[in-house]
Amino acid sequence: MTTGGSAIAHGFPHLDTVRAALTALFRRLSHDTVNTFPTSVLPVDVAFDDDEDLHLGAQRVARAMVRQLHLPDARIVITFREMEHAATVEPAAGPEYFIELNDRFRRHRKDIGAALAHEVTHVWLHRLDLSFPGTRDNEILTDTAATYLGAGWLLLDAYREHGPFSQKLGYLTPEEFGYVLAKRAAFFDEDPSPWFTSPQAYDAYAAGRARAEQDAHRPPLAGAGWAARLRYAKDRRAAGTAHRTAPGAGPGYAFESAPGTGTPLRVSFPCPVCCQRIRVPVRGRLQARCGLCKTLLDCDT
């Protein structure tokens, strides 16, 4: 979970898993429950003074994460030891929370909140019985959930590169953290950018936000650019002539029809908010409401 002194991966190599994690969150929680996380954990709740007692301060920050994720209030036991990873947690324990932090956080207290955000989210996911197969995908789910539910902006803020020194917490790239944060910001109308203390974190957020905005400007959404619209029209004509399913007809969308049934041509595409696929008839301008996140989408099919 900790990268130090080595090259940090950038870009969007895990984007498919991130999008699957967003869909899984909405499916497991429902639109109404996701809406109970409108405010992120605030910087004042996770600030750590140098003169504050290490263990008491870590417990205070952990309680803030527990409250953020709507977990039951219970005794929190935090210890520090030398280890390979940034932190570990015992998710099956309860009702107490047992968390181990890397000894390096004794000297880098500012990042304790980021480590605790990831570990407390592990507990939350375990109690929700939500997981992905495989360690890698499950850790990406954890980072995505922490970030989308308002605790994970600290993970991006822990990303820093200064000359030979580099640090990143979590399994997402900095830009992927920015992508999830931008999705959250758009859904809850919340701007996290004033909270960043790392200039590299702000740059990564800007890159992730640009990528997230692309999701809302792809056909058949009405806000797509003219070049994308031209390609969409070409693919639509080809699919209508073929009278068959045409998977991968364009970036994210696919046309389908049932041969010999007279069924109108339909197009499926991912919701730009929760990434669940939506299927609508091909009949020009229309509005479609995502059944999962309830977002009303203007389409030109």
Side-chain angles (χ1 to χ4, degrees):
M1 188 175 172
T2 304
T3 300
S6 59
I8 292 176
H10 287 278
F12 302 91
H14 314 113
L15 204 52
D16 287 345
T17 308
V18 169
R19 288 168 172 163
L22 290 173
T23 304
L25 275 181
F26 274 93
R27 283 179 178 163
R28 185 65 179 85
L29 291 182
S30 82
H31 164 266
D32 291 342
T33 303
V34 171
N35 264 310
T36 63
F37 295 86
T39 304
S40 292
V41 62
L42 298 175
V44 67
D45 294 330
V46 294
F48 211 123
D49 296 331
D50 289 338
D51 57 355
E52 185 174 8
D53 180 86
L54 178 65
H55 288 84
L56 292 179
Q59 290 173 358
R60 173 183 58 80
V61 174
R63 282 194 295 271
M65 296 303 169
V66 167
R67 289 194 302 270
Q68 178 65 30
L69 295 175
H70 305 172
L71 282 165
D73 187 18
R75 186 170 70 103
I76 299 173
V77 179
I78 297 178
T79 59
F80 294 80
R81 68 176 178 86
E82 291 288 343
M83 66 175 80
E84 179 183 357
H85 299 293
T88 62
V89 68
E90 180 51 59
E96 298 88 356
Y97 306 97
F98 295 94
I99 302 172
E100 292 182 317
L101 295 177
N102 194 302
D103 250 355
R104 68 183 295 275
F105 290 116
R106 293 180 182 272
R107 304 181 302 277
H108 301 281
R109 298 183 176 194
K110 176 183 176 182
D111 298 324
I112 285 178
L116 289 173
H118 182 93
E119 300 308 321
V120 173
T121 304
H122 266 305
V123 176
W124 180 82
L125 288 169
H126 177 80
R127 297 187 180 186
L128 198 67
D129 194 25
L130 176 59
S131 63
F132 279 178
T135 299
R136 169 190 169 276
D137 286 0
N138 208 47
E139 294 292 354
I140 291 171
L141 170 65
T142 303
D143 280 344
T144 302
T147 304
Y148 199 80
L149 298 180
W153 66 268
L154 289 155
L155 285 158
L156 178 54
D157 197 41
Y159 160 55
R160 291 184 286 277
E161 290 191 73
H162 302 291
F165 173 78
S166 62
Q167 171 185 282
K168 182 183 75 68
L169 299 182
Y171 288 75
L172 300 183
T173 68
E175 293 79 12
E176 288 168 340
F177 274 119
Y179 176 87
V180 180
L181 271 176
K183 292 284 191 184
R184 173 182 169 80
F187 188 78
F188 291 106
D189 192 23
E190 179 188 68
D191 181 11
S193 57
W195 304 333
F196 295 132
T197 61
S198 163
Q200 292 89 2
Y202 181 84
D203 291 343
Y205 173 62
R209 181 176 56 198
R211 186 61 177 264
E213 289 172 349
Q214 291 179 12
D215 293 353
H217 295 87
R218 291 180 173 173
L221 296 172
W226 68 269
R229 295 293 314 167
L230 286 175
R231 172 170 178 178
Y232 176 84
K234 178 181 177 182
D235 293 334
R236 182 181 58 199
R237 287 193 298 270
T241 301
H243 292 294
R244 58 181 177 82
T245 299
Y253 60 81
F255 295 99
E256 56 188 56
S257 64
T261 65
T263 302
L265 189 67
R266 297 183 299 176
V267 61
S268 65
F269 62 96
C271 172
V273 174
C274 68
C275 305
Q276 174 182 247
R277 293 197 73 82
I278 300 171
R279 184 177 291 104
V280 296
V282 175
R283 65 181 187 203
R285 294 297 293 259
L286 57 84
Q287 287 188 320
R289 187 177 296 278
C290 177
L292 193 58
C293 68
K294 310 303 182 184
T295 302
L296 187 63
L297 303 169
D298 289 322
C299 304
D300 187 353
T301 60

